[in-house]
Amino acid sequence: MVKLKVIFSLTILIILSGCSLNKNNMTNLEIVKSTYEGKTSEENGKNLAKYIVDNISWTEAKGFPYAGTYIGLENITKNVFSRLGSEWIDYKFTPEDYVASDDKVVAFGTYTGTYKITGKSFKARVAHIWKLKQGKILSFEQFVDSQPVNDAMK
């Protein structure tokens, strides 16, 4: 699993180095959906890397185990994705609905997963706010009920 996450991280960095503006003229909603609804988590990661700006701002909610604001894909991968991949079993976000308006897309859904150390699973409600400009993702902000996640880690 850790090897898979390292490969995933390297793949994102390689793709990011060759990404370009939104050539497919996808809507902001389609871009955000592509980061969640690929056939695999690797496909979702490739889509994320394809559409972000180099200095993307990624904010994990206060109270969440990985809370903070991370700038750039390398920092996001190190402080969020790699940790989720190495500390959890089947950690995922399941989107239920989206709201799109101009340069913002909000995704609503549920996080689930099992913490490896405790063996405890959880389910938590979440919303993600994405800001985009000219087909590129500028920022991501998470709003989540962190208590179930923190409880699973105890």
Side-chain angles (χ1 to χ4, degrees):
M1 186 67 169
V2 173
K3 284 183 181 180
L4 179 62
K5 291 300 172 184
V6 170
I7 291 170
F8 172 75
S9 298
L10 291 173
T11 301
I12 287 176
L13 292 174
I14 290 168
I15 292 169
L16 182 60
S17 67
C19 72
S20 60
L21 288 176
N22 184 10
K23 292 181 179 178
N24 296 330
N25 294 322
M26 292 176 66
T27 67
N28 288 339
L29 178 59
E30 291 169 329
I31 290 169
V32 169
K33 280 185 171 185
S34 79
T35 70
Y36 296 122
E37 298 181 5
K39 293 178 183 175
T40 65
S41 61
E42 184 176 289
E43 183 178 333
N44 294 341
K46 286 180 182 179
N47 288 331
L48 176 65
K50 182 174 166 181
Y51 292 110
I52 64 169
V53 295
D54 289 340
N55 64 340
I56 182 175
S57 173
W58 189 281
T59 301
E60 297 285 309
K62 185 176 180 179
F64 194 68
Y66 313 113
T69 297
Y70 308 103
I71 306 300
L73 187 58
E74 186 175 343
N75 284 322
I76 298 163
T77 299
K78 175 184 171 190
N79 293 294
V80 181
F81 298 137
S82 292
R83 292 185 64 195
L84 291 172
S86 65
E87 297 173 14
W88 295 87
I89 299 166
D90 296 327
Y91 189 97
K92 66 181 177 180
F93 171 67
T94 303
E96 295 166 19
D97 201 3
Y98 300 89
V99 176
S101 177
D102 299 323
D103 63 347
K104 294 180 186 82
V105 176
V106 179
F108 300 92
T110 305
Y111 282 150
T112 54
T114 303
Y115 194 58
K116 287 182 179 180
I117 293 173
T118 64
K120 294 180 184 176
S121 60
F122 79 96
K123 185 175 184 179
R125 298 294 293 153
V126 64
H128 295 157
I129 298 177
W130 300 82
K131 292 183 183 175
L132 300 93
K133 185 175 181 180
Q134 298 177 340
K136 299 299 280 181
I137 300 168
L138 304 175
S139 67
F140 165 95
E141 186 172 3
Q142 172 202 61
F143 294 87
V144 61
D145 178 4
S146 296
Q147 194 62 50
V149 182
N150 290 320
D151 288 347
M153 297 175 79
K154 295 178 186 173

